[in-house]
Amino acid sequence: MFVGVLFIGCSVKKPIVSKSAIIIFKTPNMKFYDKGFVYKYENYIHLQIFNVGNIVLDLKIYKDEICRSSLECINSKEFNEKYLDIRYENDFLYKLFSKENIYHKDKKNNILIKVKYE
């Protein structure tokens, strides 16, 4: 006869880096300029932008996909086609938000992404 104990639990991963910032995310299809947070985890970056205390943009940025509000995920290539430009590398957004100083201005495609940490 076997008697055992099974422990099941959840662990919440803590970010490696957590910073508040003023975030500008302006593309032809997205326009945000508000206070937010950038959380850097081992395998993804979590971007949250707030307006009057409400989340207006919630993205989890992985190398190969972007998840919006944790419900809708699309691959990075499709995200680039829809919100940035088809010629951007698939992991462009992940690489950009992995940097310490985030500033990207693309006049040709009318894209500005800037993060000023507080």
Side-chain angles (χ1 to χ4, degrees), residues 3-77:
V3 177
V5 178
L6 177 64
F7 291 100
I8 299 176
C10 297
S11 67
V12 176
K13 292 192 178 208
K14 292 185 179 182
I16 297 166
V17 175
S18 174
K19 294 183 178 181
S20 64
I22 300 297
I23 301 168
I24 299 171
F25 201 109
K26 182 183 168 223
T27 74
N29 297 321
M30 288 177 118
K31 290 179 179 43
F32 299 99
Y33 177 31
D34 287 295
K35 186 165 175 113
F37 293 91
V38 177
Y39 304 99
K40 295 181 182 180
Y41 293 85
E42 188 174 325
N43 298 322
Y44 69 95
I45 297 157
H46 190 181
L47 172 66
Q48 291 183 316
I49 300 177
F50 294 84
N51 185 320
V52 192
N54 296 312
I55 294 178
V56 292
L57 181 65
D58 189 15
L59 293 180
K60 287 189 179 172
I61 305 166
Y62 298 87
K63 287 183 182 179
D64 58 349
E65 73 178 356
I66 311 293
C67 298
R68 221 176 153 163
S69 302
S70 301
L71 299 174
E72 173 194 336
C73 294
I74 59 175
N75 68 48
S76 297
K77 182 178 180 179

Coordinates of all heavy atoms in Angstrom, one line a residue, residues 3-77:
V3 N 1.2 5.3 0.4 CA 0.6 6.5 1.0 C 1.6 7.6 0.7 O 2.7 7.6 1.1 CB 0.3 6.4 2.5 CG1 -0.3 7.7 3.0 CG2 -0.6 5.3 2.8
G4 N 1.1 8.7 0.0 CA 2.0 9.8 -0.3 C 1.3 11.1 -0.2 O 0.1 11.2 0.0
V5 N 2.1 12.1 -0.2 CA 1.6 13.4 -0.1 C 2.0 14.2 -1.3 O 3.1 14.1 -1.8 CB 2.2 14.1 1.2 CG1 1.7 15.6 1.3 CG2 1.9 13.4 2.4
L6 N 1.1 14.9 -1.9 CA 1.3 15.7 -3.1 C 1.1 17.1 -2.7 O 0.1 17.6 -2.2 CB 0.3 15.3 -4.2 CG 0.4 16.1 -5.5 CD1 1.7 15.8 -6.2 CD2 -0.8 15.6 -6.4
F7 N 2.2 17.9 -3.0 CA 2.1 19.3 -2.7 C 2.1 20.1 -4.1 O 2.9 19.8 -5.0 CB 3.4 19.8 -2.0 CG 3.5 19.4 -0.6 CD1 4.2 18.3 -0.2 CD2 2.7 20.0 0.4 CE1 4.3 17.8 1.1 CE2 2.8 19.6 1.7 CZ 3.6 18.5 2.0
I8 N 1.1 20.9 -4.2 CA 0.9 21.7 -5.4 C 0.9 23.1 -5.0 O 0.1 23.5 -4.1 CB -0.4 21.3 -6.2 CG1 -0.3 19.8 -6.6 CG2 -0.6 22.2 -7.4 CD1 -1.6 19.3 -7.3
G9 N 1.6 23.9 -5.7 CA 1.7 25.3 -5.3 C 2.1 26.2 -6.5 O 2.5 25.7 -7.5
C10 N 1.8 27.4 -6.4 CA 2.2 28.4 -7.4 C 3.2 29.3 -6.9 O 3.2 29.7 -5.7 CB 1.0 29.2 -7.8 SG -0.4 28.2 -8.5
S11 N 4.2 29.6 -7.7 CA 5.2 30.6 -7.3 C 5.1 31.7 -8.3 O 5.0 31.5 -9.5 CB 6.6 30.0 -7.3 OG 7.0 29.7 -8.6
V12 N 5.1 32.9 -7.8 CA 5.0 34.1 -8.6 C 6.5 34.5 -8.8 O 7.2 34.8 -7.9 CB 4.2 35.2 -7.9 CG1 4.2 36.5 -8.8 CG2 2.8 34.7 -7.7
K13 N 6.8 34.6 -10.1 CA 8.2 35.1 -10.4 C 8.3 36.6 -10.2 O 7.4 37.3 -10.6 CB 8.6 34.7 -11.8 CG 8.7 33.2 -12.0 CD 9.3 32.9 -13.3 CE 9.5 31.4 -13.5 NZ 10.6 31.0 -14.3
K14 N 9.4 37.0 -9.6 CA 9.6 38.4 -9.3 C 10.5 38.9 -10.5 O 11.4 38.2 -11.0 CB 10.3 38.6 -8.0 CG 9.5 38.3 -6.8 CD 10.1 38.6 -5.5 CE 9.2 38.3 -4.4 NZ 9.8 38.6 -3.1
P15 N 10.2 40.1 -10.9 CA 11.0 40.7 -12.0 C 12.5 40.9 -11.6 O 12.8 41.2 -10.4 CB 10.4 42.0 -12.3 CG 9.5 42.4 -11.1 CD 9.2 41.1 -10.4
I16 N 13.4 40.8 -12.5 CA 14.8 41.1 -12.3 C 15.0 42.6 -12.2 O 15.7 43.1 -11.3 CB 15.6 40.6 -13.5 CG1 15.5 39.0 -13.6 CG2 17.1 41.0 -13.3 CD1 16.0 38.4 -14.8
V17 N 14.2 43.4 -13.0 CA 14.2 44.8 -12.9 C 12.8 45.3 -12.9 O 12.0 44.8 -13.7 CB 15.0 45.4 -14.1 CG1 14.9 46.9 -14.2 CG2 16.4 44.9 -14.2
S18 N 12.5 46.3 -12.2 CA 11.2 46.9 -12.1 C 11.4 48.5 -12.0 O 12.0 48.9 -11.0 CB 10.4 46.4 -10.9 OG 9.2 47.1 -10.8
K19 N 11.0 49.2 -13.1 CA 11.2 50.6 -13.1 C 9.9 51.4 -13.5 O 9.2 50.9 -14.4 CB 12.3 51.0 -14.0 CG 13.7 50.5 -13.6 CD 14.7 51.0 -14.6 CE 16.1 50.5 -14.2 NZ 17.1 51.0 -15.2
S20 N 9.6 52.5 -12.9 CA 8.6 53.4 -13.3 C 9.2 54.3 -14.3 O 10.3 54.7 -14.3 CB 7.9 54.1 -12.1 OG 8.9 55.0 -11.6
A21 N 8.3 54.8 -15.2 CA 8.8 55.6 -16.3 C 7.6 56.4 -17.0 O 6.5 56.1 -16.8 CB 9.4 54.7 -17.4
I22 N 8.0 57.4 -17.7 CA 7.1 58.1 -18.7 C 7.4 57.4 -20.0 O 8.5 57.3 -20.5 CB 7.4 59.6 -18.8 CG1 7.3 60.3 -17.4 CG2 6.5 60.2 -19.8 CD1 5.9 60.2 -16.8
I23 N 6.3 56.9 -20.6 CA 6.4 56.1 -21.8 C 5.6 56.7 -23.0 O 4.5 57.0 -22.8 CB 5.9 54.6 -21.5 CG1 6.7 54.0 -20.4 CG2 6.0 53.8 -22.8 CD1 6.1 52.7 -19.9
I24 N 6.3 56.9 -24.1 CA 5.7 57.3 -25.3 C 5.8 56.1 -26.3 O 6.8 55.5 -26.5 CB 6.4 58.5 -26.0 CG1 6.5 59.7 -25.0 CG2 5.8 58.8 -27.3 CD1 7.3 60.8 -25.5
F25 N 4.6 55.7 -26.7 CA 4.5 54.5 -27.7 C 3.6 55.0 -28.7 O 2.4 54.9 -28.6 CB 4.0 53.3 -26.9 CG 4.3 52.0 -27.6 CD1 5.2 51.1 -27.1 CD2 3.6 51.7 -28.8 CE1 5.5 49.9 -27.7 CE2 3.9 50.5 -29.5 CZ 4.8 49.6 -28.9
K26 N 4.1 55.6 -29.8 CA 3.3 56.2 -30.9 C 3.6 55.5 -32.2 O 4.8 55.5 -32.7 CB 3.6 57.7 -30.9 CG 2.8 58.4 -32.0 CD 3.2 59.9 -32.0 CE 2.6 60.5 -33.3 NZ 3.5 61.3 -34.0
T27 N 2.6 54.9 -32.8 CA 2.7 54.3 -34.1 C 1.4 54.8 -34.8 O 0.5 55.3 -34.2 CB 2.8 52.8 -34.1 OG1 1.5 52.3 -33.7 CG2 3.8 52.3 -33.1
P28 N 1.3 54.5 -36.1 CA 0.1 54.9 -36.8 C -1.2 54.2 -36.2 O -2.3 54.8 -36.3 CB 0.3 54.4 -38.2 CG 1.8 54.5 -38.4 CD 2.3 54.1 -37.1
N29 N -1.0 53.1 -35.5 CA -2.2 52.3 -35.0 C -2.2 52.3 -33.4 O -3.2 51.7 -32.9 CB -2.1 50.9 -35.5 CG -2.3 50.8 -37.0 OD1 -3.1 51.6 -37.5 ND2 -1.6 49.9 -37.6
M30 N -1.2 52.9 -32.8 CA -1.2 52.9 -31.3 C -0.7 54.3 -30.9 O 0.3 54.7 -31.4 CB -0.3 51.8 -30.7 CG -0.7 50.4 -30.8 SD 0.6 49.4 -30.1 CE -0.3 48.7 -28.8
K31 N -1.3 54.9 -29.9 CA -0.8 56.1 -29.4 C -1.0 56.2 -27.8 O -2.1 56.2 -27.4 CB -1.6 57.3 -30.0 CG -1.2 57.5 -31.5 CD -2.0 58.6 -32.1 CE -1.6 58.9 -33.6 NZ -1.5 57.8 -34.4
F32 N 0.1 56.2 -27.1 CA 0.1 56.2 -25.7 C 1.3 57.1 -25.2 O 2.4 57.1 -25.7 CB 0.4 54.8 -25.1 CG -0.7 53.8 -25.4 CD1 -0.5 52.9 -26.4 CD2 -1.9 53.9 -24.7 CE1 -1.5 52.0 -26.7 CE2 -2.9 53.0 -25.1 CZ -2.7 52.0 -26.1
Y33 N 1.0 58.0 -24.3 CA 2.0 58.9 -23.7 C 1.5 59.1 -22.3 O 0.8 60.0 -21.9 CB 2.0 60.2 -24.5 CG 3.0 61.2 -23.9 CD1 4.2 60.8 -23.2 CD2 2.8 62.6 -24.0 CE1 5.0 61.8 -22.7 CE2 3.6 63.5 -23.5 CZ 4.8 63.1 -22.8 OH 5.7 64.0 -22.3
D34 N 2.0 58.2 -21.4 CA 1.6 58.3 -20.0 C 2.6 57.6 -19.1 O 3.6 57.1 -19.6 CB 0.2 57.5 -19.8 CG -0.9 58.3 -20.4 OD1 -1.3 59.3 -19.9 OD2 -1.6 57.8 -21.4
K35 N 2.3 57.6 -17.8 CA 3.2 57.0 -16.8 C 3.0 55.5 -16.9 O 1.9 55.0 -17.2 CB 2.9 57.5 -15.4 CG 3.8 57.0 -14.4 CD 3.7 57.8 -13.1 CE 4.6 57.1 -12.1 NZ 5.7 58.0 -11.7
G36 N 4.0 54.7 -16.7 CA 3.9 53.3 -16.7 C 5.0 52.6 -16.0 O 5.8 53.2 -15.3
F37 N 5.1 51.3 -16.2 CA 6.1 50.5 -15.6 C 6.7 49.5 -16.6 O 6.0 49.0 -17.5 CB 5.6 49.7 -14.4 CG 5.2 50.6 -13.2 CD1 3.9 51.0 -13.2 CD2 6.1 50.9 -12.3 CE1 3.5 51.9 -12.1 CE2 5.7 51.7 -11.2 CZ 4.4 52.2 -11.1
V38 N 8.0 49.3 -16.4 CA 8.7 48.3 -17.3 C 9.3 47.2 -16.3 O 10.1 47.6 -15.4 CB 9.8 48.9 -18.1 CG1 10.5 47.8 -18.9 CG2 9.3 49.9 -19.1
Y39 N 8.8 46.0 -16.4 CA 9.3 44.9 -15.6 C 10.0 44.0 -16.5 O 9.5 43.5 -17.5 CB 8.1 44.1 -15.0 CG 7.1 45.0 -14.1 CD1 6.0 45.4 -14.7 CD2 7.4 45.3 -12.8 CE1 5.1 46.2 -14.0 CE2 6.5 46.1 -12.1 CZ 5.4 46.5 -12.7 OH 4.5 47.3 -11.9
K40 N 11.3 43.7 -16.1 CA 12.1 42.8 -16.9 C 12.2 41.5 -16.2 O 12.7 41.4 -15.0 CB 13.4 43.4 -17.2 CG 13.3 44.6 -18.1 CD 14.7 45.2 -18.4 CE 14.5 46.5 -19.3 NZ 15.7 47.1 -19.6
Y41 N 11.8 40.4 -16.8 CA 11.9 39.0 -16.3 C 13.0 38.3 -17.1 O 13.5 38.8 -18.0 CB 10.6 38.3 -16.4 CG 9.5 38.9 -15.5 CD1 8.7 40.0 -16.0 CD2 9.2 38.4 -14.2 CE1 7.7 40.5 -15.2 CE2 8.2 38.9 -13.4 CZ 7.5 40.0 -13.9 OH 6.5 40.5 -13.1
E42 N 13.2 37.1 -16.7 CA 14.3 36.3 -17.4 C 13.9 36.1 -18.9 O 14.8 36.2 -19.7 CB 14.4 34.9 -16.7 CG 15.6 34.1 -17.2 CD 15.8 32.9 -16.4 OE1 15.6 32.9 -15.1 OE2 16.2 31.9 -17.0
N43 N 12.7 35.8 -19.2 CA 12.3 35.4 -20.6 C 11.4 36.4 -21.3 O 11.0 36.2 -22.4 CB 11.7 34.1 -20.6 CG 12.7 33.0 -20.1 OD1 13.8 33.1 -20.4 ND2 12.1 32.0 -19.4
Y44 N 11.0 37.5 -20.6 CA 10.1 38.4 -21.2 C 10.1 39.7 -20.5 O 10.7 39.9 -19.4 CB 8.6 37.9 -21.3 CG 7.9 37.8 -19.9 CD1 7.1 38.8 -19.5 CD2 8.1 36.7 -19.1 CE1 6.5 38.7 -18.3 CE2 7.4 36.6 -17.9 CZ 6.6 37.6 -17.5 OH 6.0 37.5 -16.3
I45 N 9.5 40.7 -21.1 CA 9.4 42.1 -20.6 C 7.9 42.4 -20.5 O 7.2 42.2 -21.4 CB 10.1 43.1 -21.5 CG1 11.6 42.7 -21.5 CG2 9.9 44.5 -21.0 CD1 12.4 43.2 -22.7
H46 N 7.5 42.9 -19.3 CA 6.1 43.3 -19.1 C 6.0 44.8 -19.1 O 6.7 45.5 -18.3 CB 5.7 42.7 -17.8 CG 4.2 42.9 -17.5 ND1 3.6 42.4 -16.4 CD2 3.2 43.4 -18.3 CE1 2.3 42.6 -16.5 NE2 2.0 43.2 -17.6
L47 N 5.3 45.4 -20.0 CA 5.1 46.8 -20.1 C 3.7 47.2 -19.8 O 2.7 46.6 -20.3 CB 5.4 47.2 -21.6 CG 5.1 48.7 -22.0 CD1 6.0 49.6 -21.2 CD2 5.2 48.9 -23.5
Q48 N 3.5 48.1 -18.8 CA 2.2 48.6 -18.4 C 2.2 50.1 -18.5 O 3.1 50.8 -18.0 CB 1.8 48.2 -17.0 CG 1.6 46.7 -16.9 CD 1.2 46.3 -15.5 OE1 1.8 46.8 -14.5 NE2 0.2 45.5 -15.3
I49 N 1.1 50.6 -19.2 CA 1.0 52.1 -19.2 C -0.4 52.4 -18.6 O -1.4 51.8 -18.9 CB 1.0 52.6 -20.7 CG1 2.4 52.2 -21.3 CG2 0.8 54.1 -20.7 CD1 2.5 52.6 -22.8
F50 N -0.3 53.5 -17.7 CA -1.5 53.9 -17.0 C -2.0 55.3 -17.4 O -1.2 56.1 -17.7 CB -1.3 53.9 -15.5 CG -1.0 52.5 -14.9 CD1 0.3 52.0 -15.0 CD2 -2.0 51.8 -14.3 CE1 0.5 50.7 -14.4 CE2 -1.8 50.5 -13.8 CZ -0.5 50.0 -13.8
N51 N -3.3 55.5 -17.3 CA -3.8 56.8 -17.5 C -4.9 57.0 -16.4 O -5.8 56.2 -16.4 CB -4.4 57.0 -18.9 CG -4.9 58.4 -19.2 OD1 -5.5 59.0 -18.3 ND2 -4.7 58.8 -20.4
V52 N -4.7 58.0 -15.6 CA -5.6 58.2 -14.4 C -5.8 56.9 -13.6 O -6.9 56.6 -13.2 CB -7.0 58.8 -14.9 CG1 -7.8 59.4 -13.8 CG2 -6.8 59.9 -16.0
G53 N -4.7 56.2 -13.4 CA -4.8 55.0 -12.5 C -5.3 53.8 -13.2 O -5.4 52.7 -12.6
N54 N -5.7 53.9 -14.4 CA -6.2 52.7 -15.2 C -5.2 52.2 -16.2 O -4.6 53.0 -16.9 CB -7.6 53.0 -15.9 CG -8.6 53.4 -14.9 OD1 -8.9 52.7 -13.9 ND2 -9.3 54.5 -15.2
I55 N -5.1 50.9 -16.3 CA -4.2 50.3 -17.3 C -4.8 50.6 -18.7 O -5.9 50.1 -19.0 CB -4.0 48.8 -17.1 CG1 -3.2 48.6 -15.8 CG2 -3.2 48.2 -18.2 CD1 -3.0 47.1 -15.4
V56 N -4.0 51.2 -19.6 CA -4.5 51.5 -20.9 C -3.7 50.6 -21.9 O -4.2 50.4 -23.0 CB -4.4 53.0 -21.3 CG1 -5.4 53.8 -20.5 CG2 -3.0 53.5 -21.2
L57 N -2.5 50.1 -21.5 CA -1.8 49.2 -22.3 C -1.0 48.2 -21.4 O -0.4 48.6 -20.5 CB -0.7 49.9 -23.2 CG 0.1 49.1 -24.1 CD1 -0.8 48.4 -25.2 CD2 1.2 49.9 -24.8
D58 N -1.2 47.0 -21.7 CA -0.6 45.9 -20.9 C 0.0 44.9 -21.9 O -0.8 44.1 -22.5 CB -1.6 45.3 -20.0 CG -1.1 44.3 -19.0 OD1 0.2 44.3 -18.8 OD2 -1.8 43.5 -18.4
L59 N 1.3 44.9 -22.1 CA 2.0 44.0 -23.0 C 3.0 43.1 -22.3 O 3.7 43.6 -21.5 CB 2.7 44.8 -24.1 CG 2.0 45.6 -25.1 CD1 2.9 46.3 -26.1 CD2 1.0 44.8 -25.9
K60 N 3.0 41.9 -22.7 CA 4.1 41.0 -22.3 C 4.9 40.7 -23.6 O 4.3 40.2 -24.6 CB 3.6 39.7 -21.7 CG 3.1 39.9 -20.3 CD 2.8 38.7 -19.6 CE 2.3 39.0 -18.2 NZ 1.8 37.8 -17.5
I61 N 6.1 41.1 -23.6 CA 6.9 41.1 -24.8 C 7.9 39.9 -24.7 O 8.9 40.0 -23.9 CB 7.7 42.4 -25.0 CG1 6.7 43.6 -25.0 CG2 8.5 42.4 -26.3 CD1 7.3 45.0 -24.9
Y62 N 7.7 38.9 -25.5 CA 8.7 37.8 -25.6 C 9.5 38.0 -26.9 O 9.1 38.8 -27.8 CB 7.9 36.5 -25.7 CG 7.1 36.2 -24.4 CD1 5.8 36.7 -24.3 CD2 7.6 35.5 -23.4 CE1 5.1 36.4 -23.2 CE2 6.9 35.2 -22.3 CZ 5.6 35.7 -22.2 OH 4.9 35.4 -21.0
K63 N 10.5 37.2 -27.1 CA 11.3 37.3 -28.4 C 10.4 36.9 -29.6 O 10.6 37.5 -30.6 CB 12.5 36.3 -28.3 CG 13.6 36.8 -27.4 CD 14.8 35.9 -27.5 CE 15.8 36.4 -26.5 NZ 17.0 35.5 -26.5
D64 N 9.5 36.0 -29.4 CA 8.8 35.5 -30.6 C 7.3 35.8 -30.6 O 6.6 35.5 -31.5 CB 9.0 34.0 -30.8 CG 8.6 33.2 -29.5 OD1 8.3 33.8 -28.5 OD2 8.5 32.0 -29.6
E65 N 6.8 36.4 -29.5 CA 5.4 36.8 -29.5 C 5.1 38.0 -28.6 O 5.9 38.2 -27.7 CB 4.5 35.6 -29.1 CG 4.5 35.2 -27.7 CD 3.6 34.0 -27.4 OE1 2.8 33.6 -28.3 OE2 3.6 33.6 -26.3
I66 N 4.0 38.6 -28.8 CA 3.6 39.8 -27.9 C 2.2 39.4 -27.4 O 1.3 39.1 -28.2 CB 3.5 41.1 -28.7 CG1 4.8 41.3 -29.6 CG2 3.2 42.2 -27.8 CD1 6.0 41.6 -28.8
C67 N 2.0 39.5 -26.1 CA 0.7 39.2 -25.5 C 0.1 40.5 -25.0 O 0.8 41.3 -24.2 CB 0.8 38.2 -24.4 SG 1.4 36.6 -25.0
R68 N -1.1 40.8 -25.3 CA -1.8 42.0 -24.9 C -2.8 41.6 -23.8 O -3.7 40.7 -24.0 CB -2.6 42.6 -26.1 CG -2.5 44.1 -26.1 CD -3.1 44.6 -27.3 NE -3.5 46.0 -26.9 CZ -3.8 46.9 -27.7 NH1 -3.9 46.7 -29.0 NH2 -4.2 48.1 -27.3
S69 N -2.7 42.2 -22.6 CA -3.6 41.9 -21.5 C -3.6 40.4 -21.2 O -4.6 39.9 -20.7 CB -5.0 42.4 -21.8 OG -4.9 43.8 -22.0
S70 N -2.6 39.7 -21.5 CA -2.5 38.2 -21.2 C -3.5 37.4 -21.8 O -3.6 36.2 -21.5 CB -2.5 38.0 -19.7 OG -1.4 38.7 -19.1
L71 N -4.4 37.9 -22.6 CA -5.4 37.1 -23.3 C -5.2 36.9 -24.7 O -5.5 35.8 -25.3 CB -6.8 37.8 -23.1 CG -7.3 38.0 -21.7 CD1 -8.5 38.9 -21.6 CD2 -7.5 36.7 -21.0
E72 N -4.7 37.9 -25.4 CA -4.5 37.8 -26.9 C -3.0 37.9 -27.2 O -2.3 38.8 -26.9 CB -5.2 39.0 -27.5 CG -4.9 39.1 -29.0 CD -5.3 40.5 -29.6 OE1 -6.2 41.1 -29.0 OE2 -4.7 40.9 -30.6
C73 N -2.5 36.8 -27.7 CA -1.0 36.7 -28.1 C -1.0 36.6 -29.6 O -1.7 35.8 -30.2 CB -0.3 35.6 -27.4 SG -0.2 35.7 -25.6
I74 N 0.0 37.3 -30.2 CA 0.3 37.1 -31.6 C 1.8 37.0 -31.8 O 2.5 37.5 -30.9 CB -0.3 38.3 -32.5 CG1 0.3 39.6 -32.0 CG2 -1.8 38.3 -32.5 CD1 -0.2 40.8 -32.9
N75 N 2.2 36.4 -32.8 CA 3.7 36.3 -33.0 C 4.2 37.7 -33.3 O 3.5 38.6 -33.8 CB 4.0 35.2 -34.1 CG 3.6 35.6 -35.5 OD1 3.9 36.7 -35.9 ND2 3.0 34.7 -36.2
S76 N 5.5 37.8 -33.0 CA 6.1 39.1 -33.2 C 6.1 39.7 -34.6 O 6.0 40.9 -34.8 CB 7.6 39.0 -32.7 OG 7.6 38.7 -31.3
K77 N 6.2 38.8 -35.6 CA 6.2 39.2 -37.0 C 4.8 39.9 -37.3 O 4.7 40.9 -37.9 CB 6.4 38.1 -37.9 CG 6.4 38.4 -39.3 CD 6.8 37.2 -40.2 CE 6.8 37.6 -41.7 NZ 7.1 36.5 -42.5

